Amino acid sequence: TNKKGKLTIQGGSFHDNRATGNSGGVFVTSGEVEITGGTYYKNTAKLYGGVANISSAKATVSNAVIYDNSVTGANNGGAFYISKACKLTLTNCNIYDNKSKTYPVDITVGANSILDLNDNVNVGVVKRGDKTTAKVNVLTEYTGSIVLIPYANQKPAVGTDSLVIFDASLSDEARRSSAARMTVRLVDETKTPYVYDDITYCVDSDGVVQNRK
């Protein structure tokens, strides 16, 4: 979809699609996308989103199960790649085991884009595609698991780099509980198959990177 169009998908099973370029399923360059329910698996693209490549658009995905999708030509967005001022809101989704070229990445958040997490079961591995303008917002207490990979897989500045933003409505307890479920990892890209670096980081209740104790 593009311009001011709206794409609505309700339910269904989307699998075994192949793309030699961008996106193995949904490719959106503007407008609005609403996906409710459904199962997405074994979709493959060479670049930018095994399931969806969404740019310059507002997108909502709720109650969907998304797994075993892949990107074969780059280390980003095995399930979703969002960019160019896209806002993607995920609600009650279970996203896991999606892969990029050499290591798992479920979602890549590109420059000037926002990923909103709202009552999700699991969102897997989230990679920031820009150090300052790619935002990950936690709107409600997070009860699943998430691995955060910093921009360009670079070592974060402990006590300085902010990787997530907790909504102001969350209590201190909800922030601490959500932060405890978040792990910050770096990938040793020289190893095939991939391995995570030995050093593991976490985020505090302000979303700032800290050393894991």
Side-chain angles (χ1 to χ4, degrees):
T1 182
N2 56 25
K3 303 297 182 182
K4 295 183 179 180
K6 181 176 180 179
L7 173 65
T8 301
I9 301 173
Q10 294 183 334
S13 179
F14 298 80
H15 59 89
D16 294 293
N17 296 294
R18 301 286 184 271
T20 57
N22 295 335
S23 178
V26 179
F27 188 22
V28 179
T29 56
S30 63
E32 189 173 349
V33 184
E34 183 177 326
I35 298 173
T36 304
T39 304
Y40 297 76
Y41 63 96
K42 293 188 182 299
N43 299 292
T44 302
K46 184 177 181 180
L47 300 169
Y48 305 123
V51 172
N53 179 0
I54 306 172
S55 62
S56 305
K58 178 182 178 181
T60 60
V61 182
S62 58
N63 302 306
V65 179
I66 301 165
Y67 67 96
D68 199 21
N69 302 284
S70 59
V71 167
T72 60
N75 282 324
N76 55 47
F80 292 102
Y81 183 88
I82 62 173
S83 62
K84 299 180 181 178
C86 173
K87 182 177 182 180
L88 171 62
T89 301
L90 299 175
T91 301
N92 196 33
C93 290
N94 193 5
I95 303 172
Y96 61 96
D97 288 346
N98 299 286
K99 304 171 184 66
S100 64
K101 181 179 179 180
T102 58
Y103 57 87
V105 176
D106 295 278
I107 303 168
T108 295
V109 183
N112 300 304
S113 294
I114 298 171
L115 174 64
D116 282 345
L117 304 180
N118 182 37
D119 194 25
N120 286 278
V121 176
N122 182 50
V123 294
V125 181
V126 176
K127 181 179 179 181
R128 295 177 75 198
D130 185 89
K131 187 172 184 178
T132 57
T133 66
K135 307 294 184 184
V136 179
N137 296 332
V138 179
L139 304 183
T140 57
E141 183 175 351
Y142 189 75
T143 58
S145 62
I146 183 170
V147 174
L148 298 163
I149 297 179
Y151 169 67
N153 196 33
Q154 295 176 349
K155 183 177 180 180
V158 173
T160 300
D161 284 355
S162 177
L163 292 190
V164 297
I165 300 169
F166 293 110
D167 192 83
S169 65
L170 291 176
S171 67
D172 290 343
E173 182 179 354
R175 291 185 183 206
R176 288 193 296 270
S177 175
S178 298
R181 294 179 175 274
M182 300 180 177
T183 302
V184 182
R185 303 297 300 265
L186 300 178
V187 177
D188 186 342
E189 295 180 322
T190 67
K191 301 292 180 59
T192 303
Y194 83 97
V195 294
Y196 284 119
D197 281 354
D198 291 337
I199 300 174
T200 303
Y201 305 91
C202 61
V203 297
D204 61 21
S205 59
D206 292 319
V208 177
V209 177
Q210 304 291 346
N211 287 313
R212 185 172 290 280
K213 299 179 180 179

